[in-house]
């Protein structure tokens, strides 16, 4: 009997189901949110909109709800799941262990208004920005998932994969 790899073990509290959105505008720019530790704005990173599944909602429903809450954008065409990723990271004094699904979505609306943030998000999200693939490739900032520039380039060059691609587990 072989032991499961440590990274596959659910942590105390279990694995949080998360839906994220790879939101592209008509110019193929991707929307990323700028986050930081609530008590340390210098500890910052960029990430795709999204969050935890609530109650009986599906991941697709969670993706659309989170996108609306975090960006105010509701006019989207939600596409397929592009990628799946497990990750574990410290944030706001606890460890978060997540099973993330990344949905492709397109919108013509680029104005962002975060109107439905939680109290924790209000303390840790500093804004949003549309990025070109070229800007993302050249960025020196921390971006999650860490290979996002490469993944976006492949998506733009080849289109969505036939099925979700499993990304490497990231433990921070």
């Amino acid at each position: 009997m072989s032991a499961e790899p440590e990274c596959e073990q659910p942590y105390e509290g279990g694995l949080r189901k998360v839906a994220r959105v790879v939101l592209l505008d008509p110019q193929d720019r991707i929307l990323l949110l700028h986050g930081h530790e609530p008590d340390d704005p210098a500890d910052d990173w960029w990430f795709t909109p999204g969050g935890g599944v609530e109650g009986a909602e599906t991941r697709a429903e969670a993706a659309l709800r989170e996108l609306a809450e975090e960006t105010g954008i509701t006019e989207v065409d939600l596409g397929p799941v592009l990628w799946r990723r497990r990750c574990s990271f410290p944030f706001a004094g606890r460890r978060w262990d997540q099973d993330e699904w990344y949905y492709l979505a397109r919108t013509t609306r680029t104005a962002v208004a975060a109107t439905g943030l939680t109290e924790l998000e209000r303390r840790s999200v500093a804004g949003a920005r549309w990025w070109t693939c070229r800007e993302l490739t050249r960025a020196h900032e921390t971006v999650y998932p860490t290979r996002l520039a490469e993944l976006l380039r492949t998506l733009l060059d080849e289109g969505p994969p036939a099925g979700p691609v499993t990304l490497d587990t990231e433990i921070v």
Side-chain angles (χ1 to χ4, degrees):
M1 181 162 127
S2 65
E4 285 185 49
E6 186 175 312
C7 63
E8 298 296 320
Q9 294 283 342
Y11 293 80
E12 190 168 318
L15 206 51
R16 181 176 182 237
K17 291 181 180 179
V18 170
R20 298 208 160 278
V21 181
V22 176
L23 185 64
L24 302 178
D25 73 0
Q27 289 77 45
D28 286 335
R29 296 180 304 168
I30 185 172
L31 182 66
L32 297 180
L33 302 180
H34 191 202
H36 58 82
E37 271 294 330
D39 299 322
D40 184 6
D43 183 2
D44 69 331
W45 56 88
W46 292 89
F47 63 102
T48 57
V53 173
E54 294 180 356
E57 73 182 351
T58 66
R59 288 208 202 217
E61 290 167 343
L64 292 171
R65 176 186 49 75
E66 286 285 341
L67 185 64
E69 290 172 359
E70 295 176 350
T71 70
I73 297 174
T74 56
E75 304 87 28
V76 299
D77 292 321
L78 191 65
V81 177
L82 300 170
W83 316 309
R84 292 181 180 167
R85 175 181 84 136
R86 286 200 176 173
C87 60
S88 178
F89 53 91
F91 174 68
R94 64 167 278 219
R95 179 153 287 277
W96 300 74
D97 304 300
Q98 301 190 156
D99 176 28
E100 300 180 336
W101 291 15
Y102 289 78
Y103 286 85
L104 174 61
R106 289 204 170 262
T107 187
T108 56
R109 180 174 164 202
T110 56
V112 177
T115 57
L117 298 182
T118 65
E119 188 273 334
L120 178 59
E121 289 168 333
R122 284 192 297 277
R123 291 177 32 228
S124 61
V125 177
R129 177 182 161 198
W130 292 95
W131 296 71
T132 66
C133 190
R134 182 183 194 112
E135 289 169 335
L136 203 51
T137 300
R138 295 178 173 184
H140 295 289
E141 293 93 342
T142 301
V143 176
Y144 292 110
T146 55
R147 292 177 42 230
L148 186 57
E150 174 190 337
L151 293 164
L152 180 59
R153 177 80 275 150
T154 300
L155 173 64
L156 296 176
D157 288 348
E158 302 174 11
V165 173
T166 301
L167 306 180
D168 292 338
T169 297
E170 290 189 55
I171 300 177
V172 179

